[in-house]
Amino acid sequence: MAVDATVAPTTARRSLGEVLGVVFGPVGQLLAFIVGSAVSLALIVVVLAFILSPTQPDIMQRVVIILPQVIIDGLVRGFLFATIALGYTMVYGVLEFINFAHGEIFMIGGVVGATVSFLLVSTGTLESIPPLVFVLLVILVAMAFCGMLAVTVERVAYRPLRGAPRLVPLISAIGMSLILQDLARLVMTSTPLGFNARYQTPNFGQPIQLFTMQLGDRSVPVILSPRDLIFIVAATIMLVVLNYVVNATKLGKAIRATAQDMPTASLMGIDVNRIVALTFLIGGALGGAAGALFGLRIGTVNPYMGLIPGLKAFTAAVLGGIGNITGAMVGGVVLGFLEAFVAAYLSIFTAGNFSGAAYADVAAFSILILLLIFRPSGLLGEATTQKV
Amino acid sequence: MALLELQNVHTYYGKIHALKGISMTVEKGEIVTLIGSNGAGKSTTLRTISGLLKPRQGQVLFNGKRIDTLPPHEIVKLGIAQSPEGRRIFPRLTVLENLEMGAFLYNTRSPEYQADLDRVLTLFPRLRERVSQKGGTLSGGEQQMLAIGRALMTRPQVLLLDEPSMGLAPVLVEQIFEIIQTINQQGTTVLLVEQNALQALSIAHRGYVLQSGEIVLEDTAANLRDNEMVQKAYLGLE
């Protein structure tokens, strides 16, 4: 075991290439899953259309016309689930506990965004500020508010129960979820916001025409609405930044170390309570930003809008392998594409007998059940924990 | 004044009374070993010193200051590092990242960090070849080296080693014990917990014998080696 003199001295400083590698490795994996899901699902619908084309001559055209729009829709849904799923998976990674109040953090992000928009409307400044400034403002305010809220929830409702049996903090989380819902309802109905708060935005301009598809003698424009574009860009930036923080900074490594072995992390001088608070802060901020963007996209928010996206994001986190950060993003994107395709194509392929939009949720939760049966550890999850 | 002192320490696991009044001292520059059979309370003693367990009675003093009320990360800051039983490497961090976690309290861009890293990688050349490998893929011996190296990265005055020879091939055990001696000669005080009493007593200055949560013997390592009771119970000699 002689020392090899040619081995270069090992430094802690990484080259730019290495940093890019650890940050964009997971992003590349995510990209592979995005392209993979889009291509394979598109192939499936095209093959199905081909099989059905002898009986329904126009089905191929009907399928292909909406395909680019469905893919964009899948991407938006996927990024929505991914940003929420990160909050579930990070907290699970560190505490091995499902924070069921996370869907409500998402909802409150939407309410905070609507409040900012309402204040701007009532002061008459909404139309005069640039759209980009507006988007940044609602995102940052929602991130700050929801990050702090998530930290407070942890401090009040979860930390005192740290040593308790597993079911106890879970019940506390469900209680917290109900409390946040009703608090939001109370605040909204007793202020001018109202139960269904409008979420007004400046004019984002015309839809962007990406390209024109030639289908025989028809040319079909493929358009991307500015709101979808905002969502996709903002979510992409957040996912890349999160990957940088978790994989390339010392604090991010401390988060991973704490997730892998909490007592040993504390022996390294890591204040594990601070790390737990930090994971809630990051997860809450991401959830809040997702809520603000979601509300902005659909134009209205209400106190119960967190339930279904929250459950689906949880499904996405399990789909990717709970506790695994890249897995949560991958799971979100895969689930988003599946849902978008079911929503768009189910009625076409069943000759209108089943409405796709109504059955998209069934599809999402069927996937959760099938996955739990056949691959409980998720797409990227580890087979078992390696604790000795 | 002793560097590290335990005064009548009682530690419990729930209702189980694991340490029944341990008193011991570790002087600066020493290698002190704690020997005893399975379940005697050796690991519990180390975990009580490093703050993972809180004593219900008694106190732990470090440089004359009471530390048993502090959380583990504060105790590390004062200069007590533990290489835990079963090594407890972060399996999905690389070797370098594991060492970086050991230096969590320090600036990893500083020349001091660089010097610490070089010292550890010189003590354990095997780790230098494995820096970018995930901790979980190392062999048992390599993981033990990483656990000790990681503890050294915290710049300890006292190094607590919990069963560093466990599960290792005899040739590696020999090597690890040599390295422990080197670390001690470089100025780090060592408190060594071992089931391999013969090896431990061959490098230690003093030793304590622990039996079901109580210290039954304390003496210099040489005297313990010659003690009839120790020879029968722990050294396997007739």
Side-chain angles (χ1 to χ4, degrees):
Chain A
M1 214 171 52
V3 190
D4 185 349
T6 60
V7 176
T10 311
T11 64
R13 243 163 283 178
R14 295 156 180 262
S15 66
L16 184 65
E18 273 179 285
V19 172
L20 289 180
V22 293
V23 177
F24 286 98
V27 175
Q29 208 171 3
L30 179 63
L31 201 66
F33 269 93
I34 291 175
V35 174
S37 322
V39 167
S40 49
L41 287 168
L43 273 178
I44 288 172
V45 291
V46 167
V47 166
L48 274 178
F50 184 75
I51 292 167
L52 291 173
S53 60
T55 52
Q56 292 161 275
D58 65 334
I59 193 165
M60 184 63 96
Q61 201 182 37
R62 278 164 60 207
V63 164
V64 176
I65 280 178
I66 56 169
L67 190 56
Q69 233 56 64
V70 174
I71 288 173
I72 291 171
D73 182 36
L75 201 58
V76 172
R77 287 179 194 238
F79 277 173
L80 171 71
F81 296 150
T83 38
I84 310 174
L86 283 165
Y88 284 107
T89 225
M90 287 183 74
V91 166
Y92 185 86
V94 175
L95 292 181
E96 297 196 352
F97 133 86
I98 307 292
N99 176 17
F100 272 115
H102 189 59
E104 270 53 55
I105 300 284
F106 161 81
M107 173 273 290
I108 286 174
V111 175
V112 168
T115 310
V116 171
S117 144
F118 176 80
L119 291 175
L120 290 173
V121 170
S122 55
T123 54
T125 45
L126 185 69
E127 285 304 325
S128 60
I129 62 171
L132 189 64
V133 175
F134 173 80
V135 171
L136 281 177
L137 185 69
V138 290
I139 291 179
L140 292 179
V141 173
M143 283 180 100
F145 189 89
C146 292
M148 295 314 294
L149 180 66
V151 171
T152 311
V153 168
E154 191 269 331
R155 190 73 194 81
V156 173
Y158 307 149
R159 194 180 298 177
L161 303 171
R162 189 76 56 79
R166 278 165 162 243
L167 271 180
V168 178
L170 193 72
I171 301 300
S172 182
I174 293 171
M176 212 57 229
S177 160
L178 295 173
I179 288 171
L180 290 176
Q181 261 176 26
D182 277 352
L183 271 180
R185 188 171 55 105
L186 179 70
V187 169
M188 290 169 82
T189 52
S190 54
T191 59
L193 276 175
F195 182 86
N196 274 305
R198 286 186 65 199
Y199 195 137
Q200 284 171 288
T201 62
N203 188 0
F204 289 128
Q206 291 300 307
I208 304 148
Q209 188 167 331
L210 294 177
F211 56 92
T212 322
M213 221 173 20
Q214 283 298 329
L215 276 182
D217 50 353
R218 284 177 63 184
S219 65
V220 185
V222 175
I223 54 167
L224 177 63
S225 90
R227 285 156 201 265
D228 287 353
L229 180 67
I230 289 167
F231 201 102
I232 291 171
V233 171
T236 308
I237 293 171
M238 289 194 294
L239 298 188
V240 170
V241 170
L242 183 78
N243 265 302
Y244 173 78
V245 169
V246 170
N247 292 319
T249 67
K250 194 161 84 169
L251 217 49
K253 284 171 202 162
I255 292 178
R256 285 189 290 148
T258 307
Q260 287 170 34
D261 191 333
M262 197 182 270
T264 306
S266 73
L267 289 178
M268 304 292 112
I270 297 170
D271 182 348
V272 292
N273 278 331
R274 252 189 60 212
I275 295 293
V276 169
L278 183 69
T279 60
F280 274 88
L281 181 75
I282 295 175
L286 288 173
L293 287 164
F294 179 76
L296 177 149
R297 189 165 163 266
I298 61 172
T300 167
V301 296
N302 72 61
Y304 300 109
M305 75 170 196
L307 182 65
I308 293 296
L311 281 176
K312 283 185 190 160
F314 171 59
T315 308
V318 175
L319 180 66
I322 189 118
N324 181 322
I325 288 174
T326 315
M329 302 184 197
V330 164
V333 163
V334 170
L335 188 70
F337 272 115
L338 279 167
E339 220 189 70
F341 274 81
V342 170
Y345 287 114
L346 191 64
S347 63
I348 293 183
F349 286 125
T350 55
N353 287 327
F354 295 98
S355 147
Y359 284 92
D361 290 357
V362 177
F365 294 112
S366 305
I367 291 163
L368 176 64
I369 293 167
L370 284 176
L371 189 85
L372 289 176
I373 295 170
F374 291 109
R375 195 170 156 78
S377 56
L379 292 172
L380 303 184
E382 268 111 45
T384 44
T385 50
Q386 312 167 352
K387 283 181 185 158
V388 187
Chain B
M1 182 180 62
L3 183 60
L4 180 67
E5 184 171 4
L6 277 72
Q7 294 176 344
N8 188 30
V9 167
H10 292 257
T11 304
Y12 291 73
Y13 288 104
K15 281 183 183 160
I16 298 162
H17 196 170
L19 298 186
K20 300 165 184 159
I22 300 280
S23 296
M24 60 185 290
T25 58
V26 178
E27 302 290 338
K28 194 167 160 43
E30 279 188 314
I31 299 182
V32 174
T33 183
L34 204 54
I35 58 179
S37 55
N38 252 342
K42 306 186 301 289
S43 294
T44 309
T45 307
L46 291 196
R47 291 164 68 84
T48 305
I49 297 171
S50 63
L52 290 173
L53 296 170
K54 298 289 165 214
R56 207 173 280 181
Q57 200 189 318
Q59 42 186 314
V60 182
L61 302 171
F62 182 61
N63 282 323
K65 221 184 103 194
R66 206 168 158 186
I67 59 166
D68 52 278
T69 50
L70 299 175
H73 66 269
E74 298 284 347
I75 294 175
V76 180
K77 241 181 249 179
L78 294 176
I80 300 180
Q82 186 181 355
S83 162
E85 185 180 11
R87 309 181 279 263
R88 307 294 285 267
I89 296 306
F90 300 117
R92 292 182 297 285
L93 298 186
T94 64
V95 169
L96 187 60
E97 285 171 332
N98 267 280
L99 293 173
E100 215 180 317
M101 284 298 105
F104 180 78
L105 296 169
Y106 308 109
N107 177 3
T108 49
R109 294 223 167 83
S110 65
E112 289 86 354
Y113 169 75
Q114 214 36 251
D116 286 349
L117 194 62
D118 280 343
R119 174 188 174 209
V120 166
L121 294 179
T122 309
L123 280 171
F124 303 106
R126 269 288 261 288
L127 295 182
R128 198 186 286 274
E129 303 161 21
R130 304 255 187 276
V131 275
S132 49
Q133 223 170 294
K134 292 259 190 285
T137 66
L138 298 184
S139 73
E142 289 162 348
Q143 287 195 357
Q144 188 59 59
M145 295 175 190
L146 181 54
I148 298 175
R150 189 177 61 179
L152 283 176
M153 293 301 288
T154 68
R155 299 180 196 163
Q157 296 177 48
V158 180
L159 180 61
L160 312 178
L161 294 172
D162 199 343
E163 305 268 8
S165 75
M166 192 169 67
L168 300 190
V171 51
L172 272 177
V173 173
E174 202 77 47
Q175 233 175 51
I176 292 270
F177 277 93
E178 266 171 43
I179 292 169
I180 293 170
Q181 265 184 310
T182 310
I183 291 169
N184 178 247
Q185 281 152 13
Q186 290 174 354
T188 310
T189 307
V190 175
L191 176 54
L192 172 66
V193 153
E194 259 302 339
Q195 282 198 50
N196 189 338
L198 189 61
Q199 282 283 359
L201 288 173
S202 70
I203 65 163
H205 303 110
R206 289 191 301 122
Y208 292 84
V209 179
L210 207 56
Q211 234 167 47
S212 33
E214 284 170 294
I215 287 175
V216 293
L217 253 182
E218 67 167 289
D219 212 330
T220 63
N223 285 349
L224 286 177
R225 259 197 315 262
D226 296 335
N227 182 295
E228 205 177 318
M229 180 274 226
V230 173
Q231 287 191 343
K232 259 194 185 152
Y234 303 109
L235 301 181
L237 304 172
E238 284 304 317

